[in-house]
Each structure stands twice: as C-alpha cells, then as structure tokens.
Amino acid sequence: MRVAGGGRPTREVQDPELPQTLEELLEGETAGDPMGRHAKAKRSSLHHLSHELAVAGHPASRPTVARLLRQLGYSPKANARRTEAHSTPPERDAQFQHIAEQRAQFAATGEPIISVDSKKKELVGDFKNPGQTWCRRAEPVLVHDWPQDAVGQAIPYGIYEITTNSGYVCIGDCFDTPRFAVEAISDWWESEGQKRFPEAGRLLVLADAGGSNSCRSRVWKAQLQEQLCDACGLEVTVCHYPTGCSKWNPIEHRLFSFISLNWAGVPLRTFATMVRYSAGTVTAAGLRVNARLKRGGNEAGERVSDEVMRRLHLRPHAVCPAWNYTLSPRT
C-alpha cells in the first residue's frame, strides 16, 4: 500500500497475476485425490482465499479478494431447484392444458372449483415454530422437538375455493387418510359449499397425484362416490396434477402460504391455537378462512375390494385417464 505526500493511503497496487491465480484456486477446491479415501473438501471463504493467495506469492486482503470476485462474476448464491429427480412425464403439458380447460368450463357455468391438499404435519406442544413475532421477550420453548413430548400431531387438510378466494381447513389429530380427506371436503360442502352454490350439480376438485388424495388410491375414489356423489347428489370431476408438480396446485400459494405466515413464530402449544390462527388468516386480496378441529376416527390400513370398485360410477376422461375422471351419483 502506498502513501502519497504523507496523506491518506491509496489503493494497493494491482498484481496482474492475481485474478488468474484466484480463479485457479476457485476451480480446485478439493485437496488430494478426489477419488481416494482421504479426499478433503473445503469451502472457499474470503479468509481462506486471502491466505492461499499469500502462500502462492500474491498477497491480497479480504476486501481486495471480494472486489476481485465481483469483477470475475462471482457472488454468493444459494442452490437453485431447477433439476427434476425423475424424467418429466410426456403427458405433463397435455394434463396442464386439460386442467385449464376444465377450470374454464366450470367457471363459465358458475359451478364450484376447489383445490385440496394436506398441509405439512405439525407437532403440537411447547416447540419452536420458525419465524418471528412482535413481543417484549422471546417465548421460551423446549430445546429439542422430541415427538414423545408433543401433545399430538396435527394434520391440516385444506380446501381452497378458487372462484371465491375462500379457504376451509379441517385439522385432524389422527392419520392423513383418504377417508379423512374426503370427510373434510364433505364437511366443507355441508357447511359452506352448498350455501354458496345452491344450484350446483357438479364439483371440480384439483388435487396432487399422491398423498391422501392420490390418483391411485381406491379408498379416495370410493369415499368420493359415497360421501359426495351419493350423499350430496354431486357429480365430482377430479383432475390430479402430474407427479412433482404440486407447487402449481393453487392451494399451496393461495392458502397454505398465508396460514404459515400468520402463525410464524407462535408456538403451536394446543390444537385450539392452530384452529384460531388458521381461522384468523386474512389477506388484502380478500382471503377468508374457516377452520375446525376433527378428533379421531381415521384409522390407517383401509382397503377397497374389486367388487366395490366395479360398483363405482367412475368414468375416466379421454385425456390422461389415470389423472382425470368423473364420478356420478348412483341414485
């Protein structure tokens, strides 16, 4: 570093070989044979790079290294989720087009369109909940999230009405089963759906391809037939999003995301707390949510026989029949 006329120090002289040496250090971040047993990987921090440059005969301070990295096009970046774990299904585009057509048809006739899914299971108890909230002192919670210390496990199943921007959350304390999922939809229809759509004869359900509303689940289809088609007199059309495409399901970013924001930083110590914060979720766009607690009654392991499946009034669609089908009332 030079000092001109006894005044303030000027910027240190640029070593012409410094940028090239820095790039070489960034290319080889593995010490030793990468295929051997004793390979060591190290992360290139500014302190580490400054030290390695000095060892190579090109001393540079950490601010200088940071400036050179920006000049070379480097910047801190997080991992980007852009690669699919499995090959993209060839019917993916056709399925999205079919979903768009079904939504347009139901919207044109003013019939209900709902998006359904199970939210992330939550341990209910004195546990840390990610996020921050306004308070004078931090809420003390347990150090470890051991399941044996929980009051129970909550399974929130949500129904989002696309045309009315309203949500319904049924919070269970047992198992995330197809029967529980259909019971939540049936409860929504009895308490809210039929009041908003008194003349409706059809219902469009948008769901993921897996989970409790899986496109391969026999119990899911049998319960839709029994609880919605036969009991409510509805013709139910189901369209499943392709595998790995659940983030396009409207309920994810139109309902669940806002519920998570509303209870962020609040320890979910009781089921009543979850119901209260779910029902208190509102947005500037007019979202309103109703929530209720449903205790027990959904045991896992239910099976549906071939004979029961043959009695279903199930009609697969011509487009992607595994993902699209319509169930009609039997009476």
Side-chain angles (χ1 to χ4, degrees):
M1 185 174 297
R2 297 181 303 171
V3 179
R8 297 176 60 186
T10 61
R11 180 177 296 179
E12 55 190 320
V13 178
Q14 177 71 55
D15 184 347
E17 298 182 5
L18 187 56
Q20 180 180 354
T21 307
L22 182 58
E23 282 195 295
E24 291 174 355
L25 288 175
L26 290 173
E27 289 176 0
E29 293 190 0
T30 303
D33 181 7
M35 301 302 292
R37 298 181 184 178
H38 307 291
K40 298 179 181 179
K42 53 190 175 185
R43 182 175 179 269
S44 295
S45 64
L46 292 178
H47 175 79
H48 167 258
L49 290 173
S50 177
H51 174 73
E52 291 296 321
L53 286 171
V55 172
H58 304 281
S61 63
R62 280 178 287 180
T64 299
V65 174
R67 176 170 52 82
L68 286 174
L69 288 173
R70 288 193 295 270
Q71 292 175 359
L72 293 171
Y74 289 92
S75 63
K77 292 183 176 64
N79 300 146
R81 296 190 177 188
R82 296 173 183 168
T83 306
E84 298 287 349
H86 306 284
S87 59
T88 302
E91 307 90 354
R92 173 172 166 162
D93 291 342
Q95 177 63 6
F96 274 99
Q97 181 64 33
H98 187 70
I99 291 175
E101 292 172 355
Q102 291 294 315
R103 288 181 59 171
Q105 292 176 14
F106 276 76
T109 57
E111 292 175 297
I113 306 171
I114 61 173
S115 171
V116 302
D117 195 15
S118 293
K119 195 179 184 299
K120 181 177 73 71
K121 298 178 179 65
E122 303 283 354
L123 280 179
V124 180
D126 197 16
F127 305 120
K128 179 181 178 180
N129 192 12
Q132 297 177 336
T133 184
W134 291 105
C135 56
R136 292 188 179 274
R137 64 183 183 87
E139 285 275 355
V141 294
L142 295 176
V143 175
H144 299 291
D145 298 345
W146 302 122
Q148 59 265 29
D149 296 328
V151 176
Q153 179 177 252
I155 301 100
Y157 193 88
I159 296 97
Y160 175 71
E161 295 177 40
I162 294 176
T163 55
T164 62
N165 192 28
S166 59
Y168 183 91
V169 181
C170 185
I171 300 175
D173 68 343
C174 198
F175 299 100
D176 185 18
T177 64
R179 179 179 288 274
F180 169 68
V182 178
E183 284 180 359
I185 300 174
S186 177
D187 292 344
W188 160 80
W189 176 254
E190 292 179 1
S191 63
E192 297 184 13
Q194 63 183 356
K195 297 176 183 177
R196 292 196 185 99
F197 307 94
E199 304 298 327
R202 299 190 302 164
L203 172 66
L204 176 60
V205 180
L206 307 179
D208 293 347
S212 56
N213 41 237
S214 170
C215 61
R216 295 179 295 178
S217 172
R218 289 186 167 194
V219 180
W220 160 256
K221 295 172 183 176
Q223 288 302 309
L224 285 175
Q225 177 77 72
E226 179 181 332
Q227 295 191 48
L228 286 175
C229 296
D230 298 345
C232 303
L234 285 172
E235 182 181 87
V236 179
T237 296
V238 183
C239 294
H240 294 272
Y241 285 90
T243 304
C245 299
S246 61
K247 62 182 178 181
W248 279 279
N249 198 348
I251 194 173
E252 298 290 346
H253 49 86
R254 299 291 294 276
L255 177 62
F256 287 160
S257 59
F258 294 113
I259 292 177
S260 297
L261 288 174
N262 194 44
W263 69 31
V266 178
L268 303 175
R269 292 188 170 97
T270 64
F271 285 93
T273 301
M274 294 191 65
V275 173
R276 199 163 58 246
Y277 275 89
S278 297
T281 303
V282 295
T283 65
L287 173 67
R288 295 294 182 272
V289 182
N290 188 12
R292 66 183 293 267
L293 177 63
K294 186 177 182 62
R295 293 281 190 179
N298 292 288
E299 298 298 329
E302 185 175 356
R303 297 289 185 269
V304 173
S305 65
D306 294 340
E307 179 60 29
V308 172
M309 289 299 296
R310 282 193 291 267
R311 291 201 300 265
L312 300 183
H313 284 196
L314 188 147
R315 177 178 57 84
H317 294 191
V319 178
C320 303
W323 291 334
N324 306 291
Y325 47 87
T326 297
L327 290 154
S328 56
R330 290 181 290 196
T331 57

